[in-house]
């Protein structure tokens, strides 16, 4: 039951965070806020994965809270998909392609950056990347 509460609380925090960032005013064809949200979520999930899998790792409920809850509630593949389709259907093929391809590449880079950042933090704190 505690694991369900961890996921639910994390999902609440992630969803509210996504909603609030979505309120930032932006005019343009490119869905910038979803792009940024998904990148930030990718960095966070990369860092969480790294923290969870090396050394003593994070407790299981912390991983559920951060990875499944916060990141799952914060990032949004469905909004990305809808925005891409809307761009393509409105004839904005270059913008749609740039958004789709850019999102995949930037989010993969984000996960890698999150993992590298966590390794650097671990090394700074312990003197070892494997601690």
């Amino acid at each position: 039951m505690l694991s369900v509460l961890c996921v639910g609380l994390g999902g609440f925090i992630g969803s509210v965070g996504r909603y609030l960032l979505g309120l930032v005013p932006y005019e343009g064809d490119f869905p910038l806020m979803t792009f940024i949200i998904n990148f930030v979520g990718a960095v966070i999930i990369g860092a969480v994965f790294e923290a969870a899998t090396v050394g003593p790792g994070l407790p299981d409920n912390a991983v559920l809270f951060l990875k499944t809850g916060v990141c799952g509630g914060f990032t949004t593949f469905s909004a990305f998909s809808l925005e891409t389709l809307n761009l393509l259907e409105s004839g904005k093929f270059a913008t749609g392609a740039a958004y789709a391809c850019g999102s995949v590449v930037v989010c993969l880079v984000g996960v890698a950056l999150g993992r590298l950042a966590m390794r650097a933090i671990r090394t700074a704190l312990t003197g070892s990347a494997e601690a």
Side-chain angles (χ1 to χ4, degrees), residues 29-80:
D29 290 336
F30 192 84
L32 184 62
M33 291 317 298
T34 302
F35 189 82
I36 291 170
I37 287 165
N38 285 338
F39 172 72
V40 170
V43 172
I44 293 169
I45 205 166
V48 170
F49 174 82
E50 188 68 24
T53 58
V54 178
L58 294 174
D60 290 344
N61 283 331
V63 173
L64 286 172
F65 171 79
L66 293 167
K67 197 166 91 171
T68 306
V70 174
C71 290
F74 185 65
T75 61
T76 173
F77 188 74
S78 57
F80 156 76

